[in-house]
C-alpha cells in the first residue's frame, strides 16, 4: 500500500533562512506527488504537483520540490523564509486510482 | 468565483445525535471527497464519489454516511455510531474521478465538537 512519511512534525526557521521539508513515499511505481499548505482553521491549498514531466517542480509562493526516484523522496524547499510561511505542510502521493495518501504534516514556525 | 463551500464552519453536537455537514462546489467537478483531520495524523479519507448517484467507502467510513444526488453537492452525515466524531472535516473535489492523479481542491473545513 502507498504510504507517505514526512520527517519532522515541527520545523523552526529564522526569517530569511532556507526552508526544507522532507517527504518520502513508498511505492514501486513513481506516483503523482503533491505538496499542500494549510493555515490555521482553513482548508488545504495546493503548492505544487509532480506529474513526471520534470523532476524539479516550481510552485506558488517561491516554493519548489525535487523528485528523486532513487531516494523515493520529494522534498520541499524555499530559499528564504517569510513570516507568512508559518503554516502546516502536507505531502501527498497518488497512483492511478481514486486515492491520495497524506503524510502526517509538518508545522513550520518562522522566527523573526 | 469558483470554489468549494462548507457549512457550518463550527458545529457542536450532543452525544447520540446525528449531524449533517454541507459541501457544495461550483467548479463543475465530477468527483468529490470527504476527509477527516486529527492532529498529527494527516488526512484520512471517509467517502468519495466519482459521479452523481454513486459513492464509495474510504478508509474510515464506519459511523458516516453520504449522498450524491446532485453534481454540486456531497453532504456528510456523522451518525451516533461514530465513536469519536470530534475532528476537523474537509471536503474536496477534483475534475475527474481519478483522485490519485488529479488535483484535489479543498473547502475551508467544518470543525465538529461533540459535547
Amino acid at each position: 500500500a502507498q504510504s507517505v512519511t514526512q520527517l519532522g512534525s515541527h520545523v523552526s526557521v529564522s526569517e530569511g533562512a532556507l526552508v526544507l521539508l522532507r517527504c518520502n513515499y513508498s511505492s514501486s511505481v513513481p506516483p503523482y506527488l503533491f505538496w499542500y499548505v494549510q493555515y490555521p482553521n482553513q482548508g488545504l491549498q495546493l503548492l505544487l504537483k509532480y506529474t513526471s514531466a520534470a523532476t524539479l517542480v516550481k510552485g506558488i509562493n517561491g516554493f519548489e520540490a525535487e523528485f528523486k526516484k532513487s531516494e523515493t523522496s520529494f522534498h520541499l524547499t524555499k530559499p528564504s523564509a517569510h513570516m507568512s510561511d508559518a503554516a502546516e505542510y502536507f505531502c501527498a502521493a497518488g497512483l492511478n486510482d481514486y486515492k491520495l495518501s497524506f503524510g502526517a504534516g509538518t508545522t513550520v514556525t518562522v522566527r523573526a | 468565483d469558483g470554489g468549494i463551500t462548507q457549512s457550518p464552519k463550527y458545529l457542536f453536537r450532543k452525544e447520540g445525535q446525528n449531524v449533517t455537514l454541507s459541501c457544495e462546489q461550483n467548479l463543475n467537478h465530477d468527483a468529490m471527497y470527504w476527509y477527516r483531520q486529527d492532529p498529527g495524523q494527516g488526512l484520512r479519507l471517509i467517502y468519495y464519489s466519482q459521479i452523481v448517484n454513486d459513492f464509495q467507502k474510504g478508509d474510515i467510513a464506519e459511523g458516516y454516511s453520504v449522498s450524491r444526488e446532485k453534481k454540486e453537492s456531497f453532504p456528510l452525515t456523522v451518525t451516533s455510531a461514530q465513536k469519536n466524531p470530534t475532528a476537523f472535516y474537509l471536503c474536496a473535489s477534483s475534475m475527474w474521478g481519478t483522485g490519485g492523479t488529479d488535483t484535489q481542491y479543498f473547502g475551508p473545513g467544518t470543525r465538529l465538537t461533540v459535547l
Side-chain angles (χ1 to χ4, degrees):
Chain A
Q2 181 75 267
S3 71
V4 176
T5 302
Q6 291 183 238
L7 296 175
S9 59
H10 289 88
V11 168
S12 180
V13 298
S14 298
E15 195 173 17
L18 172 72
V19 179
L20 170 60
L21 305 182
R22 300 178 188 275
C23 173
N24 289 88
Y25 64 91
S26 66
S27 173
S28 58
V29 176
Y32 283 62
L33 294 161
F34 305 79
W35 275 101
Y36 284 91
V37 61
Q38 184 181 36
Y39 298 99
N41 290 311
Q42 294 186 26
L44 274 65
Q45 179 183 6
L46 180 70
L47 280 176
L48 48 82
K49 173 183 178 180
Y50 167 75
T51 61
S52 79
T55 57
L56 185 63
V57 183
K58 293 191 183 301
I60 62 170
N61 301 341
F63 284 93
E64 63 181 34
E66 185 173 10
F67 173 74
K68 291 187 177 181
K69 184 179 177 181
S70 60
E71 298 177 7
T72 60
S73 69
F74 190 56
H75 301 333
L76 181 72
T77 59
K78 181 174 180 178
S80 177
H82 190 271
M83 297 300 287
S84 61
D85 295 326
E88 189 163 19
Y89 293 79
F90 291 93
C91 181
L95 294 175
N96 291 323
D97 58 13
Y98 65 92
K99 184 180 173 179
L100 278 184
S101 294
F102 284 86
T106 299
T107 299
V108 173
T109 302
V110 182
R111 305 186 303 272
Chain B
D1 236 4
I4 302 172
T5 57
Q6 291 187 241
S7 61
K9 188 168 178 63
Y10 297 97
L11 185 57
F12 298 90
R13 186 194 97 175
K14 292 182 180 179
E15 281 193 28
Q17 287 181 338
N18 293 354
V19 289
T20 298
L21 283 59
S22 169
C23 177
E24 304 276 333
Q25 56 99 359
N26 62 1
L27 299 168
N28 199 32
H29 285 175
D30 283 339
M32 298 185 74
Y33 313 81
W34 273 106
Y35 291 91
R36 171 180 171 138
Q37 184 178 18
D38 296 283
Q41 295 194 42
L43 277 69
R44 293 181 289 168
L45 183 65
I46 304 172
Y47 269 97
Y48 68 101
S49 168
Q50 294 172 293
I51 198 168
V52 175
N53 293 321
D54 187 49
F55 50 83
Q56 306 295 330
K57 292 181 179 180
D59 299 320
I60 56 164
E62 185 176 351
Y64 300 98
S65 66
V66 294
S67 63
R68 186 89 186 274
E69 297 176 1
K70 298 187 300 182
K71 188 175 185 177
E72 309 80 41
S73 178
F74 192 40
L76 173 74
T77 297
V78 184
T79 75
S80 56
Q82 170 47 236
K83 290 182 171 41
N84 183 20
T86 294
F88 192 50
Y89 291 87
L90 288 161
C91 179
S93 69
S94 64
M95 190 175 294
W96 303 290
T98 52
T101 57
D102 193 17
T103 299
Q104 294 188 24
Y105 297 89
F106 286 80
T110 292
R111 186 167 297 282
L112 173 64
T113 303
V114 174
L115 303 173

